[in-house]
Amino acid sequence: MMTIHIQYVKMKTSESMSLYVTKKLKKLDEHFDWLIRANVSFKLENNIPKKGKVCEIELSLPGPKIFATSNEKNFEMAVKETISDLDKQLKKRKSKFTKQRISS
């Protein structure tokens, strides 16, 4: 079971966003049971028109950490985009693991 740490940078905390991102990360954790920890940051960036809702997630796992970020018009979209990116990275990492196991 992965540990999830959520941080809101210079903005109010949101219980609903915390629940939303936790639910999405738990789905990721079910597919990739070797995840250790997720550090999530939510930020507001006012200098980008029609966007500015930033979600950053860093995953700790065996080997190098994996990081993804996205900037969307709302936090839900930013979470979806970030998790989608992490999913792709995790699939690549998993295929490397299986190739290494086969060759050793």
Side-chain angles (χ1 to χ4, degrees), residues 6-34:
I6 302 169
Q7 182 180 9
Y8 293 86
V9 181
K10 296 179 184 170
M11 58 182 280
K12 285 184 185 177
T13 60
S14 165
E15 192 64 36
S16 61
M17 275 317 303
S18 294
L19 291 170
Y20 182 77
V21 74
T22 300
K23 182 179 162 188
K24 295 284 185 188
L25 284 168
K26 283 189 176 173
K27 282 186 183 176
L28 218 54
D29 194 32
E30 288 169 12
H31 293 320
F32 307 100
D33 59 351
W34 30 271

Side-chain angles (χ1 to χ4, degrees), residues 2 21 24-29 31-32 34-35 37-41 55-61 64-70 78-94:
M2 150 174 69
V21 74
K24 295 284 185 188
L25 284 168
K26 283 189 176 173
K27 282 186 183 176
L28 218 54
D29 194 32
H31 293 320
F32 307 100
W34 30 271
L35 298 177
R37 189 167 84 214
N39 290 323
V40 182
S41 292
C55 174
E56 296 178 345
I57 302 176
E58 180 187 75
L59 293 179
S60 297
L61 50 136
K65 291 180 181 179
I66 290 178
F67 178 81
T69 183
S70 59
V79 168
K80 280 184 188 174
E81 199 59 40
T82 305
I83 293 211
S84 171
D85 189 7
L86 289 169
D87 188 50
K88 289 173 193 161
Q89 292 182 54
L90 287 165
K91 284 176 181 166
K92 282 182 188 173
R93 178 74 61 90
K94 189 174 186 174

Side-chain angles (χ1 to χ4, degrees), residues 40-65:
V40 182
S41 292
F42 288 107
K43 301 176 185 178
L44 286 170
E45 289 192 3
N46 301 327
N47 57 349
I48 299 154
K50 297 186 181 171
K51 289 194 176 186
K53 309 292 191 286
V54 178
C55 174
E56 296 178 345
I57 302 176
E58 180 187 75
L59 293 179
S60 297
L61 50 136
K65 291 180 181 179

